[in-house]
Each structure stands twice: as C-alpha cells, then as structure tokens.
Amino acid sequence: MLTLGLSGGLSFAHEEMYDIPKNFTHDGAAVLVEDGEVVAGVEEERLNRIKHSNKFPIEATRFCLARRGVDIDQVDRIAYYASEEYCNALLGRVRLLTGGALPRVDARTLLAAKLGEGLGRRIDRDRIVFVPHHQAHAASTYLLSGYDDSLIVAIDGSGDFLSGLVAVGTGDRIEVLSTFPEAKSLGNFYVAVISLLGYGVFDEYKVMGLAPYGDPARYRAQMSALYTLLPGGDYEIHRDRVGALAQGIEVRRRGGPFTQQHRDVAASLQEALETIVMHVLRHQREVTGKSRLCLAGGVAHNCTMNGKIAYSGLFEGVFVQPAAHDAGCALGAALHVCLAEGALGSRRRLTHVFWGSDVGEDAEIEAELSAWSRFLSHERVEDLPGRVADILASGAAVGWAQGASEFGPRALGHRSILADPRPAANKDLINAMVKKREAYRPFAPSVLEEDAREYFELPPGQDGFPFMIFVLKVREDRRGVLGATTHVDGTARVHTVSQQANPRFHGLLKAFKDRTGVPALLNTSFNNNVEPIVDSAHDVVTSFLTTGLHHLAIGDYIATKRDFTWEDVATLALHIPKYVRVDQIRRFVAMDRAATVFELRNTYDAGLRVSVSPDVGEALMRADGSRSIRALLAEAGADEPARARKAVEEIEGLWSQRLVSLRPLGAPRAAAEGDGRWSQRLVSLPPLEM
C-alpha cells in the first residue's frame, strides 16, 4: 500500500492572493510510505527555497513520486495532517481575513484541486484522508520508536483547536487518553514570553540557547505567576499576565543588544517550560505505568528539555521523532493511515532520515562544478574523508554535501558545514563567515557513536543519539577538548554517528580521529542565515560562493574558490525566484516631482520590501534567465564601467540574500527559479516629507 502524507498550505510558490499565512500553516512537506516503510520524504522548503514554507508541497510531492517511480494514480491514500473540520474552519477564517475574496470551497475539494493542478491529473476526492493533527504527531514518533509499549506525548503551539495530546502505544495500537486545549498551549506560552526578548515564531530555539547565560531565580516568581500546576498532572497557562512581566524588564527590540535581564528571562522561561512538562510526565508515568516515552510536536524540538527528561530517570528510554515539528506530520499522517488500514508492516527503530534529494552522481556534480569554473577549481579525489580530515585539522571550514538530504531541521552529515571542534574560536569563525547569527548560540558536535560515552555523560542504557535532538552534558575533562561545541553550561547538542547508518560521515570522523585523536567535529547546517538547508548541487555551490567557507566537499569532489571580480559575476544569467516579484512604483519624491522606484517583494512575507536602484530594477524587469547581467544592464543603459560595477555588486548582495538567482549562462534552472514573470504596480503615493 502506497500512502502519500502531506503537510503545508494550499497555494503554490508563485501565488499570494489567497494564501494562508505562516501563523496558520508552515513547514510543508511530503512523505511517501509503502507498507509502513518510508521510501521518500522532503520538506517543501528544500525545493522551493522558502524557509518554513507555508506553500502547498507540490515540488515535494513530485520528488517523492519520482523517487519511487510511480505517478499519483498509483498512490492508494493521500493523508493530510489535520482534521477535515479544522481545515474547513480555517478556510472560513481566511475568507474573513480576505473580505470574502476567497471562493467558498470545502477543504477536500480544494486539496484535490491543488494537487490535481500541480500534477496535471484529476484527483479522486475519496482517496484523501484527513488525519487529526496531534494524532499525526503521535503516530510519527511511536511507530518509528521501535518500542512495543510506550507513553506518547505531543506538545506544540496549536492544531485542530488543540495544543497536544497524551496517548499510549501498545503493539500496533495507539489509544488517545487526553488532549490539551489551545488555552494550555506550551508552544504559544513560550512564544508569548520570547516576544519580550525581540523574538517570535520560529525563534524559540534561539532563546533555548540564550537561557544558560542567565539566572532562572531572578524572574522565577514572576514566571511562576504565568502558570499554575494542578492535581492530576494538569496545569493552567495565564498568558494574559505576560504584560505584567513586561512592566518589570526593558523589552528588547528585534536586533538589539541583550542585557543580563534578557538572559535571566530566557533562563526562567526555560525552567518554567521544563517544570510544566515534567509535572505532566510524572503523573502520566505513574498512572499509565509506561517506562518508555515517545515525544513529538514543535515543543519537542526543545533539546535542553529533552536532555533533562532523559537524565531524570523517569523513563528507561526516550525517543523524540527528529522532525517533531509540523513537517513531521506529513510522515505521521501517512503512518497513521497505514496503521488504520492494517498496512503497517514490521516496525523498527528509526536509524536515519536520509530520504531527500540526492546531491547527484559524479557526472552531474562534475557538470555543475565545471559550469562554475570561472569561480572555483575542483578535483576528484580517491580518499575524500582523508583529504577533508587533513583540511579540517589545518583549521579550515568545509561545506560537506553527500548523498540524499536529511528530512527535518538538522544537518546530520549529508548537508553540513564542518570545522575542527577543538579551538573555541571556531564558533566565532563559522558565525562570521556563514551564519551571521547571535554569538551566544552554540554549535553541535558530531561524534563517533562508539566513542560518545568517553566524551559525554550519556543517560544509562542510551548509547545512540543520531538526530541531534538531545542536549547532554560534556564530560568535564573533555570540555576543553571540545571548545567550539561545548556551551557555557558545559553541555552540547550531541549527534552520534554510526558506521551502519552513515558510512561516509563516519569515515570522515574516523579519519579526523586518526589525525588528531579527537573523534568529533563541529557540525552545523549547510546554509546561510536567510535560506533553508541546501538541497541540490546548485544550492550547494550557491551557498559556497556566497559565504566565507574555505572548501567544498561534494560527492567525490573537492572545490576551492578562485579570486573572482565583479566582471566575472556580470557574465552570469539572472533569474527571479518564483516567490519573488519586482514592483515598479511611481511615487512623488518632492511636492512637484515624481519618480519611478523599484521594490522586491515575495509571496510569503507581507512585511518584506527591499528597494533597489533604478539600474538594478530595470535589469530585473528584463531578466528571463537567458541573458547575462552585463547584457541586461546594457539594455537598461547602465553599461558605463563604474555604473555597471555598482549595479553588479548590488545584484551580488541580492544573490546573498536569495532574492535573485544567478547561474552560468546555459545552465539548467532549478524548480524554485522563475521564468522571468513579474508584476508591475504603478502606484501614486503621497509626496515625501521634506
């Protein structure tokens, strides 16, 4: 039985008119399951290049079908990650937000229509199964845990009018015991408080990283006023009292500096979350008698909390589904349907999530690298792990792209940026050259599974942590050795690597150990601060060229940047991504003078507006992917060298922000790249204040 699981919104990357905002739907994905076995899975963001994509996962669906070699007519069930009642209510809410502009349509009809439009086929509505959101979360973790008997807890922001559930798994049966209403949402509670720190949705993990720098006692009393622990493992959340906490601190503006006050708020919030969750778990452990725990839901990405649970001794084993957020619901929805229809097959412990796009065979990689020969040199090497280990030991940072991409938010050795974990300064090095993120945030260590216990205090009976989703204690005598990956509180978000699950990355770690005596590397996701993790060879090369990385290891090849100039960049073809549009606006710049200005906008963030110069704007309006930047600027009358150089450098900056795409002339386009279409809005705006 083939089951396609889906999560995400209901518009395509180039559409925006009636799109459901990201606070309603996000992290779209598609997963194809055959008799309970995952055969393909990828998040839509990896393909359409929109972080936390709220678009319909059509590219992800196409990928899954192609990888299995089937078309949609051969899929038995299409599982969507929310109840039909909830989806219909959501569509009604969107109709209200759009003033009735969205046509009146039910969720089943709309889902079949969008899937059919994207695949060019008529979709039988009866093949669509709506799976309640938190039941999808529950299935995604228990059915991949390898446990035959377990407590199951899903905790997130909201979904299906709820914020979580408690269930028990016994054999091939999942029984829901209770649910949490939205009023008790721990995800929404966390987001409400981090707004005081200048953060919002999708920033929760940043606050988790800030917390160890603070003292939870300073705001413990005020934070305790925001929740009440009740008998029977119950609790209440008082989000209406967050304003009182704001009265006692200096609210941080987004992008502003952090004070000790902010660090202390983060610490007390993290402590409060852990207190509430442990209160629930202790009660459920007692009443169910279950000695194992399965976790899912967005809150289960709080790796510090997961580590505290693992160390608590409350459970003999703890399994956290690695894509615990909403993308994992595509996986869970498919597994839920397999379970319901008796097509689950054998259940085994999940060992890897390498279900995405392959970076390419040698010939494909060679073609991509050769196309960029003006910008990089490359060579094929026989002993890639050995060569890369030498490079890393010399102090360089390497982009590492191998095999199929990972499903979920973590780079687990297939799409990673790697560095020597020993010098503490390497954390700042990676931040400066690639990530451009807050200096306090830690990087994770990847370690040989067989050596992990020598470096980390692993909970009894748990030796493998393959998904980088538990924060564990670094042994005190090893903290100086792992200077770049040990956090201020002596912990690290550990990723253990086995030879069986990830042989090439294991080989690299072994080669690094042979040279340095240290069986670990600093590992962070291969992307800059504005894009999803790289997926294709083109994504890999783009990220490499627009960051400060020293070397690239892709397939069996190692690449190094050449010194290139603006004139070299001017030879590249200019594309507009599907999710970006160029607006040409006529506005008054003085009381008696109007001018044309150009702005870049996108279809997923209504607040984003990037102004560009007239020369660049004119070039973008002409861009169709078939002509070089130089030719486009010449058509716009901007071919004088100094003027052209300024425009090219501006375009290069937009490339780094992923607002434009550049390719060597004649190279094939990626799915996320547009075809030169744009919208022009000629708007008369009031004069600027003089």
Side-chain angles (χ1 to χ4, degrees), residues 634-682:
E635 285 185 24
D639 50 355
E640 186 272 323
R643 188 172 164 185
R645 175 174 183 164
K646 185 176 180 180
V648 170
E649 289 174 347
E650 184 179 351
I651 290 171
E652 196 172 358
L654 296 175
W655 187 32
S656 296
Q657 299 173 65
R658 304 299 183 259
L659 291 170
V660 302
S661 179
L662 302 183
R663 276 186 176 274
L665 276 173
R669 302 178 196 173
E673 293 172 353
D675 57 4
R677 293 178 297 178
W678 59 80
S679 63
Q680 296 185 45
R681 289 192 309 170
L682 300 178

Short mmCIF file of all heavy atoms in Angstrom, two decimals, residues 634-682:
data_model
loop_
_atom_site.label_atom_id
_atom_site.label_comp_id
_atom_site.label_asym_id
_atom_site.label_seq_id
_atom_site.Cartn_x
_atom_site.Cartn_y
_atom_site.Cartn_z
N ALA A 634 23.26 46.64 -20.03
CA ALA A 634 23.47 47.40 -21.28
C ALA A 634 22.12 47.82 -21.87
O ALA A 634 21.96 48.95 -22.33
CB ALA A 634 24.26 46.55 -22.27
N GLU A 635 21.15 46.90 -21.84
CA GLU A 635 19.81 47.24 -22.34
C GLU A 635 19.18 48.36 -21.52
O GLU A 635 18.40 49.16 -22.04
CB GLU A 635 18.90 46.02 -22.29
CG GLU A 635 19.18 44.99 -23.37
CD GLU A 635 18.17 43.86 -23.33
OE1 GLU A 635 17.05 44.09 -22.81
OE2 GLU A 635 18.48 42.75 -23.80
N ALA A 636 19.53 48.39 -20.23
CA ALA A 636 18.98 49.42 -19.35
C ALA A 636 19.77 50.72 -19.42
O ALA A 636 19.45 51.67 -18.70
CB ALA A 636 18.94 48.90 -17.91
N GLY A 637 20.81 50.75 -20.26
CA GLY A 637 21.61 51.96 -20.40
C GLY A 637 22.60 52.16 -19.26
O GLY A 637 23.01 53.29 -18.99
N ALA A 638 22.97 51.07 -18.59
CA ALA A 638 23.87 51.17 -17.43
C ALA A 638 25.15 50.39 -17.69
O ALA A 638 25.63 49.64 -16.84
CB ALA A 638 23.18 50.64 -16.18
N ASP A 639 25.75 50.57 -18.88
CA ASP A 639 26.93 49.78 -19.22
C ASP A 639 28.23 50.53 -19.00
O ASP A 639 29.31 49.98 -19.23
CB ASP A 639 26.84 49.29 -20.66
CG ASP A 639 26.50 50.41 -21.64
OD1 ASP A 639 26.24 51.54 -21.18
OD2 ASP A 639 26.49 50.14 -22.85
N GLU A 640 28.19 51.80 -18.58
CA GLU A 640 29.42 52.52 -18.24
C GLU A 640 30.07 51.80 -17.07
O GLU A 640 29.40 51.41 -16.11
CB GLU A 640 29.07 53.96 -17.87
CG GLU A 640 30.28 54.86 -17.64
CD GLU A 640 30.75 54.81 -16.20
OE1 GLU A 640 29.91 54.74 -15.29
OE2 GLU A 640 31.98 54.83 -15.99
N PRO A 641 31.39 51.51 -17.09
CA PRO A 641 32.03 50.60 -16.14
C PRO A 641 31.75 50.89 -14.67
O PRO A 641 31.39 49.98 -13.91
CB PRO A 641 33.52 50.73 -16.48
CG PRO A 641 33.54 51.08 -17.92
CD PRO A 641 32.34 51.95 -18.15
N ALA A 642 31.90 52.10 -14.22
CA ALA A 642 31.70 52.40 -12.80
C ALA A 642 30.24 52.16 -12.40
O ALA A 642 29.95 51.62 -11.33
CB ALA A 642 32.12 53.84 -12.51
N ARG A 643 29.35 52.56 -13.27
CA ARG A 643 27.92 52.38 -13.00
C ARG A 643 27.55 50.90 -13.03
O ARG A 643 26.80 50.42 -12.18
CB ARG A 643 27.13 53.16 -14.06
CG ARG A 643 25.64 53.24 -13.83
CD ARG A 643 25.06 54.21 -14.84
NE ARG A 643 23.63 54.09 -14.94
CZ ARG A 643 22.90 54.75 -15.83
NH1 ARG A 643 23.49 55.59 -16.69
NH2 ARG A 643 21.58 54.59 -15.88
N ALA A 644 28.10 50.16 -13.99
CA ALA A 644 27.82 48.73 -14.10
C ALA A 644 28.37 47.99 -12.88
O ALA A 644 27.73 47.10 -12.33
CB ALA A 644 28.42 48.17 -15.38
N ARG A 645 29.58 48.36 -12.47
CA ARG A 645 30.16 47.69 -11.31
C ARG A 645 29.28 47.87 -10.07
O ARG A 645 29.05 46.91 -9.33
CB ARG A 645 31.57 48.25 -11.03
CG ARG A 645 32.18 47.68 -9.78
CD ARG A 645 33.61 48.11 -9.58
NE ARG A 645 34.19 47.49 -8.41
CZ ARG A 645 35.48 47.43 -8.14
NH1 ARG A 645 36.35 47.97 -8.98
NH2 ARG A 645 35.92 46.84 -7.06
N LYS A 646 28.80 49.07 -9.86
CA LYS A 646 27.95 49.33 -8.70
C LYS A 646 26.69 48.48 -8.75
O LYS A 646 26.25 47.90 -7.75
CB LYS A 646 27.60 50.82 -8.65
CG LYS A 646 26.82 51.22 -7.41
CD LYS A 646 26.58 52.73 -7.39
CE LYS A 646 25.79 53.12 -6.15
NZ LYS A 646 25.53 54.58 -6.11
N ALA A 647 26.09 48.36 -9.94
CA ALA A 647 24.87 47.57 -10.10
C ALA A 647 25.14 46.09 -9.89
O ALA A 647 24.35 45.38 -9.23
CB ALA A 647 24.26 47.81 -11.49
N VAL A 648 26.25 45.59 -10.42
CA VAL A 648 26.59 44.18 -10.26
C VAL A 648 26.82 43.85 -8.79
O VAL A 648 26.37 42.81 -8.29
CB VAL A 648 27.83 43.81 -11.11
CG1 VAL A 648 28.32 42.40 -10.75
CG2 VAL A 648 27.51 43.90 -12.59
N GLU A 649 27.51 44.72 -8.08
CA GLU A 649 27.75 44.49 -6.66
C GLU A 649 26.43 44.49 -5.88
O GLU A 649 26.26 43.73 -4.92
CB GLU A 649 28.72 45.54 -6.11
CG GLU A 649 30.14 45.33 -6.63
CD GLU A 649 31.10 46.43 -6.22
OE1 GLU A 649 30.62 47.49 -5.75
OE2 GLU A 649 32.33 46.25 -6.40
N GLU A 650 25.50 45.33 -6.30
CA GLU A 650 24.18 45.34 -5.66
C GLU A 650 23.45 44.02 -5.94
O GLU A 650 22.84 43.43 -5.03
CB GLU A 650 23.35 46.52 -6.17
CG GLU A 650 22.01 46.66 -5.47
CD GLU A 650 21.21 47.85 -5.98
OE1 GLU A 650 21.78 48.67 -6.75
OE2 GLU A 650 20.02 47.95 -5.63
N ILE A 651 23.52 43.54 -7.17
CA ILE A 651 22.89 42.26 -7.52
C ILE A 651 23.54 41.12 -6.76
O ILE A 651 22.86 40.19 -6.30
CB ILE A 651 22.96 42.03 -9.04
CG1 ILE A 651 22.03 43.02 -9.76
CG2 ILE A 651 22.59 40.59 -9.40
CD1 ILE A 651 22.18 43.03 -11.27
N GLU A 652 24.87 41.20 -6.59
CA GLU A 652 25.56 40.16 -5.83
C GLU A 652 25.06 40.12 -4.39
O GLU A 652 24.92 39.05 -3.78
CB GLU A 652 27.07 40.41 -5.87
CG GLU A 652 27.89 39.22 -5.44
CD GLU A 652 29.38 39.44 -5.67
OE1 GLU A 652 29.76 40.50 -6.22
OE2 GLU A 652 30.15 38.54 -5.32
N GLY A 653 24.76 41.29 -3.82
CA GLY A 653 24.19 41.34 -2.48
C GLY A 653 22.81 40.72 -2.43
O GLY A 653 22.47 40.01 -1.47
N LEU A 654 21.99 40.96 -3.45
CA LEU A 654 20.66 40.35 -3.52
C LEU A 654 20.78 38.84 -3.66
O LEU A 654 19.95 38.08 -3.14
CB LEU A 654 19.88 40.92 -4.69
CG LEU A 654 19.55 42.42 -4.63
CD1 LEU A 654 18.89 42.86 -5.93
CD2 LEU A 654 18.66 42.74 -3.44
N TRP A 655 21.81 38.38 -4.36
CA TRP A 655 22.08 36.94 -4.50
C TRP A 655 22.37 36.32 -3.13
O TRP A 655 21.85 35.26 -2.80
CB TRP A 655 23.25 36.77 -5.46
CG TRP A 655 23.57 35.37 -5.87
CD1 TRP A 655 22.71 34.32 -6.03
CD2 TRP A 655 24.87 34.86 -6.21
NE1 TRP A 655 23.38 33.19 -6.44
CE2 TRP A 655 24.71 33.49 -6.56
CE3 TRP A 655 26.16 35.42 -6.27
CZ2 TRP A 655 25.78 32.69 -6.94
CZ3 TRP A 655 27.22 34.63 -6.66
CH2 TRP A 655 27.04 33.28 -7.00
N SER A 656 23.16 37.01 -2.34
CA SER A 656 23.47 36.50 -1.00
C SER A 656 22.23 36.43 -0.12
O SER A 656 22.15 35.58 0.77
CB SER A 656 24.52 37.39 -0.33
OG SER A 656 25.75 37.34 -1.02
N GLN A 657 21.27 37.30 -0.38
CA GLN A 657 20.01 37.28 0.37
C GLN A 657 18.98 36.35 -0.26
O GLN A 657 17.86 36.24 0.23
CB GLN A 657 19.42 38.70 0.44
CG GLN A 657 20.29 39.71 1.15
CD GLN A 657 19.72 41.11 1.03
OE1 GLN A 657 18.63 41.40 1.54
NE2 GLN A 657 20.43 41.99 0.34
N ARG A 658 19.34 35.68 -1.35
CA ARG A 658 18.49 34.75 -2.09
C ARG A 658 17.23 35.44 -2.63
O ARG A 658 16.19 34.81 -2.78
CB ARG A 658 18.11 33.55 -1.22
CG ARG A 658 19.30 32.79 -0.65
CD ARG A 658 20.20 32.21 -1.74
NE ARG A 658 21.29 31.44 -1.15
CZ ARG A 658 22.54 31.89 -0.99
NH1 ARG A 658 22.86 33.11 -1.40
NH2 ARG A 658 23.47 31.13 -0.46
N LEU A 659 17.36 36.72 -2.97
CA LEU A 659 16.26 37.44 -3.61
C LEU A 659 16.37 37.40 -5.12
O LEU A 659 15.43 37.74 -5.83
CB LEU A 659 16.21 38.89 -3.11
CG LEU A 659 15.80 39.04 -1.65
CD1 LEU A 659 16.01 40.48 -1.17
CD2 LEU A 659 14.35 38.62 -1.44
N VAL A 660 17.53 37.02 -5.63
CA VAL A 660 17.71 36.71 -7.04
C VAL A 660 18.52 35.42 -7.12
O VAL A 660 19.15 35.00 -6.15
CB VAL A 660 18.43 37.84 -7.82
CG1 VAL A 660 17.67 39.15 -7.70
CG2 VAL A 660 19.88 37.99 -7.35
N SER A 661 18.50 34.80 -8.27
CA SER A 661 19.29 33.59 -8.51
C SER A 661 20.22 33.85 -9.68
O SER A 661 19.81 34.44 -10.69
CB SER A 661 18.37 32.41 -8.81
OG SER A 661 19.12 31.24 -9.07
N LEU A 662 21.48 33.44 -9.55
CA LEU A 662 22.46 33.59 -10.61
C LEU A 662 22.95 32.21 -11.04
O LEU A 662 23.13 31.32 -10.20
CB LEU A 662 23.64 34.44 -10.15
CG LEU A 662 23.34 35.85 -9.64
CD1 LEU A 662 24.62 36.58 -9.28
CD2 LEU A 662 22.54 36.64 -10.67
N ARG A 663 23.16 32.05 -12.34
CA ARG A 663 23.68 30.80 -12.89
C ARG A 663 24.57 31.12 -14.08
O ARG A 663 24.37 32.12 -14.77
CB ARG A 663 22.52 29.92 -13.40
CG ARG A 663 21.86 29.08 -12.34
CD ARG A 663 20.85 28.16 -12.99
NE ARG A 663 20.24 27.27 -12.02
CZ ARG A 663 20.76 26.11 -11.64
NH1 ARG A 663 21.90 25.72 -12.14
NH2 ARG A 663 20.14 25.35 -10.76
N PRO A 664 25.53 30.25 -14.36
CA PRO A 664 26.27 30.40 -15.61
C PRO A 664 25.30 30.31 -16.80
O PRO A 664 24.33 29.54 -16.75
CB PRO A 664 27.24 29.22 -15.59
CG PRO A 664 27.40 28.89 -14.14
CD PRO A 664 26.06 29.16 -13.52
N LEU A 665 25.54 31.07 -17.81
CA LEU A 665 24.67 31.06 -18.98
C LEU A 665 24.55 29.64 -19.55
O LEU A 665 25.55 28.94 -19.70
CB LEU A 665 25.23 31.99 -20.05
CG LEU A 665 24.87 33.47 -19.94
CD1 LEU A 665 25.64 34.28 -20.96
CD2 LEU A 665 23.37 33.68 -20.11
N GLY A 666 23.34 29.24 -19.85
CA GLY A 666 23.10 27.93 -20.43
C GLY A 666 22.88 26.82 -19.43
O GLY A 666 22.44 25.73 -19.80
N ALA A 667 23.19 27.05 -18.16
CA ALA A 667 22.99 26.01 -17.15
C ALA A 667 21.49 25.86 -16.88
O ALA A 667 20.74 26.84 -16.90
CB ALA A 667 23.71 26.38 -15.85
N PRO A 668 21.01 24.64 -16.61
CA PRO A 668 19.58 24.44 -16.36
C PRO A 668 19.13 25.10 -15.07
O PRO A 668 19.90 25.26 -14.13
CB PRO A 668 19.45 22.91 -16.27
CG PRO A 668 20.82 22.43 -15.92
CD PRO A 668 21.76 23.39 -16.57
N ARG A 669 17.86 25.48 -15.04
CA ARG A 669 17.30 26.13 -13.86
C ARG A 669 16.80 25.12 -12.85
O ARG A 669 16.47 23.99 -13.19
CB ARG A 669 16.12 27.03 -14.26
CG ARG A 669 16.47 28.10 -15.26
CD ARG A 669 15.22 28.90 -15.60
NE ARG A 669 15.42 29.68 -16.81
CZ ARG A 669 14.46 30.36 -17.41
NH1 ARG A 669 13.23 30.32 -16.94
NH2 ARG A 669 14.72 31.06 -18.48
N ALA A 670 16.72 25.57 -11.61
CA ALA A 670 16.13 24.75 -10.55
C ALA A 670 14.64 25.01 -10.47
O ALA A 670 14.12 25.97 -11.04
CB ALA A 670 16.80 25.07 -9.21
N ALA A 671 13.93 24.13 -9.74
CA ALA A 671 12.47 24.26 -9.64
C ALA A 671 12.05 25.57 -9.02
O ALA A 671 11.00 26.12 -9.35
CB ALA A 671 11.92 23.09 -8.82
N ALA A 672 12.87 26.12 -8.11
CA ALA A 672 12.48 27.33 -7.40
C ALA A 672 12.69 28.59 -8.24
O ALA A 672 12.25 29.66 -7.84
CB ALA A 672 13.27 27.46 -6.09
N GLU A 673 13.35 28.47 -9.40
CA GLU A 673 13.64 29.65 -10.19
C GLU A 673 12.50 29.95 -11.14
O GLU A 673 11.87 29.06 -11.70
CB GLU A 673 14.95 29.44 -10.96
CG GLU A 673 16.15 29.38 -10.03
CD GLU A 673 17.41 28.98 -10.73
OE1 GLU A 673 17.36 28.64 -11.93
OE2 GLU A 673 18.47 28.99 -10.08
N GLY A 674 12.25 31.24 -11.30
CA GLY A 674 11.13 31.66 -12.12
C GLY A 674 11.45 31.69 -13.60
O GLY A 674 12.53 31.31 -14.04
N ASP A 675 10.49 32.18 -14.36
CA ASP A 675 10.66 32.21 -15.81
C ASP A 675 10.62 33.63 -16.35
O ASP A 675 10.29 33.85 -17.50
CB ASP A 675 9.56 31.37 -16.47
CG ASP A 675 8.16 31.83 -16.09
OD1 ASP A 675 8.05 32.85 -15.37
OD2 ASP A 675 7.20 31.17 -16.50
N GLY A 676 10.97 34.59 -15.48
CA GLY A 676 11.02 35.96 -15.95
C GLY A 676 9.72 36.71 -15.77
O GLY A 676 9.61 37.88 -16.14
N ARG A 677 8.71 36.05 -15.17
CA ARG A 677 7.45 36.76 -14.96
C ARG A 677 7.58 37.70 -13.76
O ARG A 677 8.32 37.43 -12.84
CB ARG A 677 6.31 35.78 -14.71
CG ARG A 677 5.98 34.95 -15.93
CD ARG A 677 4.87 33.97 -15.62
NE ARG A 677 5.29 33.02 -14.60
CZ ARG A 677 4.50 32.07 -14.11
NH1 ARG A 677 3.26 31.98 -14.53
NH2 ARG A 677 4.95 31.23 -13.20
N TRP A 678 6.83 38.76 -13.79
CA TRP A 678 6.81 39.69 -12.67
C TRP A 678 5.49 40.43 -12.69
O TRP A 678 4.71 40.34 -13.62
CB TRP A 678 7.99 40.68 -12.74
CG TRP A 678 7.98 41.51 -13.99
CD1 TRP A 678 7.24 42.60 -14.25
CD2 TRP A 678 8.76 41.25 -15.16
NE1 TRP A 678 7.49 43.05 -15.52
CE2 TRP A 678 8.42 42.26 -16.09
CE3 TRP A 678 9.70 40.29 -15.51
CZ2 TRP A 678 9.00 42.33 -17.35
CZ3 TRP A 678 10.27 40.37 -16.75
CH2 TRP A 678 9.93 41.37 -17.66
N SER A 679 5.26 41.18 -11.64
CA SER A 679 4.08 42.05 -11.64
C SER A 679 4.55 43.48 -11.52
O SER A 679 5.54 43.75 -10.86
CB SER A 679 3.16 41.72 -10.46
OG SER A 679 3.81 41.96 -9.24
N GLN A 680 3.89 44.38 -12.20
CA GLN A 680 4.22 45.79 -12.11
C GLN A 680 3.04 46.51 -11.48
O GLN A 680 1.90 46.35 -11.90
CB GLN A 680 4.46 46.39 -13.49
CG GLN A 680 5.66 45.79 -14.22
CD GLN A 680 5.91 46.53 -15.51
OE1 GLN A 680 5.89 47.75 -15.55
NE2 GLN A 680 6.12 45.77 -16.57
N ARG A 681 3.32 47.26 -10.44
CA ARG A 681 2.27 48.07 -9.83
C ARG A 681 2.66 49.53 -9.99
O ARG A 681 3.71 49.96 -9.51
CB ARG A 681 2.12 47.75 -8.34
CG ARG A 681 1.53 46.40 -8.06
CD ARG A 681 1.15 46.26 -6.61
NE ARG A 681 2.26 46.61 -5.74
CZ ARG A 681 2.15 46.77 -4.42
NH1 ARG A 681 0.98 46.61 -3.85
NH2 ARG A 681 3.19 47.08 -3.68
N LEU A 682 1.86 50.23 -10.71
CA LEU A 682 2.10 51.66 -10.86
C LEU A 682 1.18 52.37 -9.87
O LEU A 682 -0.02 52.48 -10.07
CB LEU A 682 1.81 52.10 -12.30
CG LEU A 682 2.68 51.40 -13.34
CD1 LEU A 682 2.29 51.85 -14.74
CD2 LEU A 682 4.15 51.70 -13.08
#
